[in-house]
Amino acid sequence: MNKIAVIGAGKWGQALASAFRHKCNVVITSRTKRDIEGFVSLDEALEYENIVMTIPAQAVREWLHKHYGFKNHNILVASKGIEASTGAFLNEIYEEFVPKSNLTYLSGPSFAKEVLLGLPTALVLNSHNRMVATGWSEVFPDFIKTYVSTDVIGAEIGGAYKNVIAIAGGICEGLKLGENARASLISRGLVEMARLGREFGAKEETFLSLSGAGDLFLTASSKLSRNFRVGLGLAEGKTLDEILKELGEVAEGVGTAKALHTISKTNDIYLPIANEVYEILEGKDPMESLKDLLNNRRR
């Protein structure tokens, strides 16, 4: 595995391309960015056997329908989220187009800015095919420690859910609710995440690992997180459209909050923080959500 194509040249795609260049020949493709190192056309990129996908979750299904044909690729899925319109997890979408044995999902705490700087972190490669996941682990640079797991659904839920709790974290910060509130929010968010995971057969330990707690603690407490900044904007009274325009990037927690709300109602799963984030995105006053959470006696 010494040649890799990265599809999607947002900050995360460019960060991963930079990281993989420490050990591999890497090309990257994008609809809009052509003046980047290693740029090739999409057709050229799809000729590579090893592909990293950084396409945002809400665009994945349409992109695969329009552009993808399986050619025995090994695919590393590096985006995180749940499809808002259907509640489908990314692994369910990708498996419509690619055999599950050829798919690996990246999880864990990883801000693009710090990866570009070569700062240390640890990530998890999740796949039903341990050999393929191990192959991916060997091409990461030395400043990224990697682990291999077979709990695909657990990693999916952790990676998606943390973006929703990050929006709540930004709201907490923006309302100046204090450190006690932040710690309570994040810890209860972890409880919700694990509760959803149990419903879908995930392993409990996944949510105490890099894929769960590690990614959650990072994303829900830092302004480097786009989703955290969405929450800050909501607390300041900005509209969602205004916030997303200012960001200029995709905030996966917005679509995932809608998906979690649907999953919660359809399957009768108690996800109070995620549901309040959805309501705030729909226009509810954040202070009303705070009151409702504090007055909710259900555990």
Side-chain angles (χ1 to χ4, degrees):
M1 192 179 288
N2 60 0
K3 293 183 177 181
I4 294 172
V6 177
I7 296 179
K11 290 181 180 178
W12 187 220
Q14 291 187 59
L16 286 173
S18 174
F20 286 128
R21 285 193 182 103
H22 287 260
K23 292 185 178 181
C24 303
N25 296 318
V26 180
V27 297
I28 188 168
T29 189
S30 167
R31 289 184 300 107
T32 57
K33 299 173 183 176
R34 296 174 176 269
D35 58 343
I36 51 178
E37 181 182 354
F39 175 81
V40 298
S41 70
L42 177 59
D43 287 342
E44 291 175 284
L46 290 174
E47 291 301 318
Y48 279 63
E49 181 181 355
N50 305 300
I51 294 175
V52 179
M53 300 288 284
T54 66
I55 297 168
Q58 305 308 323
V60 165
R61 188 187 299 274
E62 182 181 4
W63 190 94
L64 290 169
H65 271 300
K66 285 185 175 180
H67 303 293
Y68 187 72
F70 179 63
K71 298 179 182 178
N72 203 35
H73 301 116
N74 291 316
I75 293 181
L76 178 63
V77 178
S79 49
K80 302 169 183 177
I82 304 172
E83 190 174 51
S85 59
T86 65
F89 297 106
L90 286 181
N91 70 288
E92 294 176 310
I93 300 171
Y94 274 100
E95 285 173 19
E96 293 179 20
F97 300 86
V98 184
K100 66 170 61 177
S101 59
N102 290 66
L103 289 161
T104 303
Y105 301 84
L106 186 63
S107 63
S110 49
F111 283 146
K113 181 178 180 180
E114 294 189 358
V115 171
L116 276 169
L117 291 172
L119 298 177
T121 191
L123 301 175
V124 186
L125 294 152
N126 309 274
S127 178
H128 297 291
N129 186 335
R130 185 174 287 274
M131 184 172 67
V132 169
T134 300
W136 280 110
S137 73
E138 292 171 352
V139 297
F140 275 79
D142 293 341
F143 64 86
I144 298 179
K145 183 175 180 62
T146 57
Y147 297 84
V148 171
S149 168
T150 57
D151 188 11
V152 169
I153 190 61
E156 283 265 64
I157 289 172
Y161 215 116
K162 57 94 180 183
N163 285 327
V164 177
I165 303 302
I167 294 175
I171 294 170
C172 184
E173 174 78 10
L175 294 178
K176 299 183 175 13
L177 300 180
E179 299 300 323
N180 293 341
R182 186 209 304 272
S184 300
L185 172 71
I186 292 174
S187 60
R188 291 307 300 179
L190 183 59
V191 170
E192 285 189 24
M193 182 189 294
R195 181 183 295 134
L196 180 64
R198 284 194 296 273
E199 291 289 331
F200 286 90
K203 297 176 181 177
E204 191 80 23
E205 59 265 29
T206 297
F207 301 104
L208 299 177
S209 74
L210 294 164
S211 300
D215 205 2
L216 174 63
F217 295 161
L218 176 75
T219 313
S221 59
S222 172
K223 291 180 182 177
L224 285 178
S225 162
R226 286 169 282 182
N227 295 284
F228 187 89
R229 297 203 301 276
V230 168
L232 283 174
L234 292 169
E236 293 167 1
K238 296 178 181 177
T239 68
L240 183 58
D241 286 343
E242 289 173 335
I243 295 165
L244 296 179
K245 185 175 181 180
E246 288 177 10
L247 277 180
E249 303 173 87
V250 174
E252 292 283 19
V254 174
T256 298
K258 181 178 180 180
L260 289 175
H261 178 74
T262 300
I263 291 170
S264 171
K265 300 304 180 187
T266 302
N267 299 280
D268 192 27
I269 307 172
Y270 181 53
L271 307 176
I273 299 173
N275 282 324
E276 288 298 336
V277 170
Y278 168 77
E279 295 291 348
I280 292 169
L281 290 168
E282 291 292 302
K284 186 174 180 178
D285 186 328
M287 289 304 296
E288 287 301 312
S289 281
L290 173 63
K291 291 176 184 176
D292 288 343
L293 285 171
L294 289 173
N295 291 327
N296 189 338
R297 298 304 177 189
R298 187 174 173 184
R299 301 297 186 221

